[in-house]
Amino acid sequence: MKKKIAVLPGDGIGPEIIAQAVKVLETVGKRYNHEFEFEEGIVGACAIDECGDPYPLKTHELCMESDAILFGAIGDPKYDNNPNAKVRPEQGLLKMRKSLGLFANLRPIEPFSCLIERSPLKKERIEGANLMIVRELTGGLYFGEPRGRSENGNVAFDTCVYSKDEIRRIAVKAFELAKMRRGSVTLVDKANVLATSRLWRETVKELHKELYSDIELDFMFVDNAAMQLVTAPGKFDVLLTENLFGDILSDEASVITGSIGLLPSASVGENLSLYEPIHGSYPQAKGKNIANPVATILSAAMMLEYSFGMKQEADAIKQACRESIEQGIVTEDLAADKQSYSTTEVGEFICSQI
Ligand code: IPM
Ligand code: MG
């Protein structure tokens, strides 16, 4: 197969981890006879520095003409600590999600059994946990209007808006994923307080009755879900939720695996999808060749499976990552008191296993 991949390294450690994922994809291309064409674009703080726009039109056009997007991370402390900054790197990410229509964020939480001791949670709580967080990504408080400040500046407001259509299309994704997994969806909301949550419940129930009655569906309030995720994560199969709840719960769920450096994600649209690690740009490690590339490499595996239907190739990458972890060819975040390897060494080892 021939595929064009837009590569957006972004900021901080982005370029280093993306380089490893590209290397792995090239190896897969050679091994399985696919032709991957890579073209780079800028996004985030580096794009602000270069042209004043965190998501320039040129990058948008590159994404639109590609078959999939591989993305590193964005963010730079020089913007975080400056409340007066007019443009922020994060705006680039939000603009990209919205303008590319990437409405479904899939965050699989699959612990590696050999790392179970690394999790701050008790082994017996997390054993067997394997869940998929399906987070709505282009609605809710992140994008609702009106938003802003009162005239005197003493009051600020954001608006949470959801339409039935927005809820339905993401719920379809969740049910379809559940079909291929253990057949259960938990809708996480705050329907005891929020009108939008009540619309979520109503819409998801309707869809369930109409098309997915063979899937098990249950409901959980978000505060309870936050507790269950760390006390009994094995309860969840597909966890479906709105934008802000999904943002928070997916970071929380990442502790189950023991390292946020291991978690990939897909942001899926109608025709185009973007793949990225769930961790941030880790600016303290920039240029040091120490960041864990596995989450990005696993994101590339998700790309092969979800966008290109290359399940076997994706499995080969996942197996190679597992191999690197089992054999202790890992970066310092996972090495504990043992020898640690550089970002490039881990990337090369994974390629050698493919
Ligand atoms: C994420 C991030 C983003 C979000 C930030 C960087 C805007 O936390 O992808 O989870 O809040 O969605
Ligand atoms: Mg987040």
Side-chain angles (χ1 to χ4, degrees), residues 97 107 135 142 246-248 250-251 278:
R97 287 174 181 167
R107 298 185 166 184
R135 166 189 175 193
Y142 275 66
D247 179 47
I248 299 166
S250 57
D251 266 32
I278 88 159

Side-chain angles (χ1 to χ4, degrees), residues 222-250:
V222 62
D223 44 354
N224 183 23
M227 186 175 69
Q228 302 287 338
L229 264 179
V230 285
T231 51
K235 274 193 182 158
F236 299 97
D237 179 14
V238 174
L239 188 166
L240 167 64
T241 193
E242 60 102 79
N243 204 344
L244 183 63
F245 297 161
D247 179 47
I248 299 166
L249 294 181
S250 57

Side-chain angles (χ1 to χ4, degrees), residues 207-279:
L207 177 68
H208 178 249
K209 202 168 151 206
E210 218 177 288
L211 295 174
Y212 297 102
S213 52
D214 48 333
I215 303 283
E216 200 181 309
L217 172 66
D218 63 354
F219 306 93
M220 203 183 276
F221 295 137
V222 62
D223 44 354
N224 183 23
M227 186 175 69
Q228 302 287 338
L229 264 179
V230 285
T231 51
K235 274 193 182 158
F236 299 97
D237 179 14
V238 174
L239 188 166
L240 167 64
T241 193
E242 60 102 79
N243 204 344
L244 183 63
F245 297 161
D247 179 47
I248 299 166
L249 294 181
S250 57
D251 266 32
E252 188 195 0
S254 74
V255 305
I256 298 171
T257 60
S259 172
I260 198 168
L262 295 175
L263 293 177
S265 77
S267 299
V268 175
E270 227 58 84
N271 307 308
L272 183 66
S273 301
L274 172 146
Y275 299 84
E276 63 172 306
I278 88 159
H279 61 69

Side-chain angles (χ1 to χ4, degrees), residues 189-199 201 221-223 245:
D189 63 23
K190 191 72 187 174
N192 48 349
V193 178
L194 302 176
T196 42
S197 285
R198 288 194 281 273
L199 185 65
R201 275 204 191 193
F221 295 137
V222 62
D223 44 354
F245 297 161

Side-chain angles (χ1 to χ4, degrees), residues 299-347:
S299 302
M302 280 185 96
M303 168 187 291
L304 297 184
E305 180 173 350
Y306 289 69
S307 280
F308 307 156
M310 301 176 183
K311 175 90 171 74
Q312 196 191 354
E313 292 82 337
D315 285 345
I317 296 180
K318 284 198 235 170
Q319 181 53 35
C321 289
R322 217 171 290 132
E323 214 50 62
S324 82
I325 292 167
E326 270 161 22
Q327 295 192 29
I329 315 294
V330 294
T331 43
E332 60 180 35
D333 53 314
L334 293 179
D337 43 10
K338 301 216 182 67
Q339 188 193 349
S340 69
Y341 293 80
S342 67
T343 309
T344 33
E345 281 167 334
V346 172

